[in-house]
Amino acid sequence: MRLFIDTGSVAEVERIAAWGVLSGATTNPSLLAKEDGDPGEIIRRICELVGGPVSAEVVSQDPEGMVAEGRALRELHEHVTVKVPFCKEGLTATHALTSDGIPVNMTLVFSANQALLAAAAGATYVSCFLGRLDDISVDSGAVLAEIVDCFRAGGVTSQIIAASIRHPEHMITAAQLGCEIATTPAKVLDQMLNHPLTDAGAERFRQDWQSRPEFGEWLHALTEKRLQATG
Ligand code: E4P
């Protein structure tokens, strides 16, 4: 499963991109509205940082407006994927944009039926919102499993994005079900790092190595020698 970061913050993308784990990013109007600065510059910078697909969302409510905004957003950077909200108008716009070769991430999908419509309209990516389903006491894992089954059974090529991720367990569910992508807030990516046994193990290795200072000197000399040899 590829990892996208779900954010409008360049600083967050810079921080997490340094880990080497990101394949793309998703923004949305709410996330961008929290940031200072020009949204176009933010989207471009995120594109450069992740070097992969970055979703930027249209806000018009009619298909013509969505298509016009989508084309303009796409011209910001070659990595831009146009994000279109699920609705009849959004399906029409998705069909028009993808027919022109512009990748579309159909967002705000909450059921297998909506996902099938999004795929039929040609969506490149279909984003199922897990956390918001949980918020209304709907089993998000069951909905996601239904979407995966429907797509695999019918040979649908649209990629499934697990979105609205709220905690690391959502990541495991999405990966086990075979979603191609999870788009994840920085906070959850941070949580995924942690395990008390990792911290305890690293501390033990450090202490044991420090108990043999001559070994530390040996590794330092070995590294220096190589650095000098390779310039
Ligand atoms: C997906 O692309 C959306 O930007 C996002 O995952 C929404 O998540 P939220 O429900 O936490 O706002």
Side-chain angles (χ1 to χ4, degrees):
M1 184 171 74
R2 304 202 303 285
L3 302 187
F4 287 9
I5 184 167
D6 192 31
T7 187
S9 159
V10 170
E12 279 186 356
V13 180
E14 272 171 356
R15 184 170 70 81
I16 309 285
W19 300 357
V21 300
L22 294 181
S23 303
T26 51
T27 67
N28 67 39
S30 307
L31 291 169
L32 286 171
K34 287 193 242 169
E35 303 299 319
D36 293 326
D38 174 54
E41 282 311 307
I42 292 173
I43 291 163
R44 274 200 205 97
R45 183 72 188 123
I46 294 176
C47 286
E48 284 162 10
L49 285 166
V50 299
V54 175
S55 294
E57 190 159 339
V58 300
V59 294
S60 278
Q61 311 229 317
D62 58 290
E64 296 74 22
M66 289 176 179
V67 170
E69 287 174 5
R71 289 204 173 110
L73 287 167
R74 172 71 178 171
E75 282 175 11
L76 285 173
H77 194 284
E78 60 180 339
H79 289 326
V80 168
T81 290
V82 178
K83 209 186 211 190
V84 176
F86 185 87
C87 56
K88 293 192 293 283
E89 296 78 7
L91 290 171
T92 307
T94 295
H95 183 67
L97 288 164
T98 54
S99 300
D100 272 359
I102 297 176
V104 168
N105 172 4
M106 181 139 253
T107 191
L108 291 170
V109 167
F110 293 94
S111 72
N113 278 305
Q114 290 181 332
L116 287 168
L117 287 170
T124 320
Y125 306 96
V126 175
S127 287
C128 175
F129 277 41
L130 304 185
R132 294 193 197 187
L133 281 167
D134 293 344
D135 290 346
I136 58 161
S137 300
V138 172
D139 181 349
S140 60
V143 173
L144 193 60
E146 216 166 41
I147 294 174
V148 172
D149 287 348
C150 289
F151 278 23
R152 303 301 179 248
V156 172
T157 54
S158 306
Q159 298 182 49
I160 301 168
I161 302 185
S164 188
I165 299 280
R166 299 278 166 79
H167 47 71
E169 201 52 38
H170 276 152
M171 300 297 285
I172 303 291
T173 302
Q176 284 177 330
L177 290 172
C179 292
E180 283 85 3
I181 297 154
T183 190
T184 313
K187 182 182 155 216
V188 176
L189 291 164
D190 282 330
Q191 287 176 310
M192 290 170 72
L193 290 173
N194 298 327
H195 197 288
L197 290 178
T198 302
D199 299 340
E203 186 51 29
R204 167 65 67 85
F205 288 154
R206 233 183 331 265
Q207 282 175 12
D208 288 348
W209 194 250
Q210 279 167 0
S211 74
R212 299 293 301 271
E214 72 277 24
F215 282 12
E217 284 162 25
W218 162 79
L219 182 56
H220 180 72
L222 186 74
T223 309
E224 281 302 307
K225 192 174 151 198
R226 185 184 172 276
L227 282 175
Q228 279 163 17
T230 56

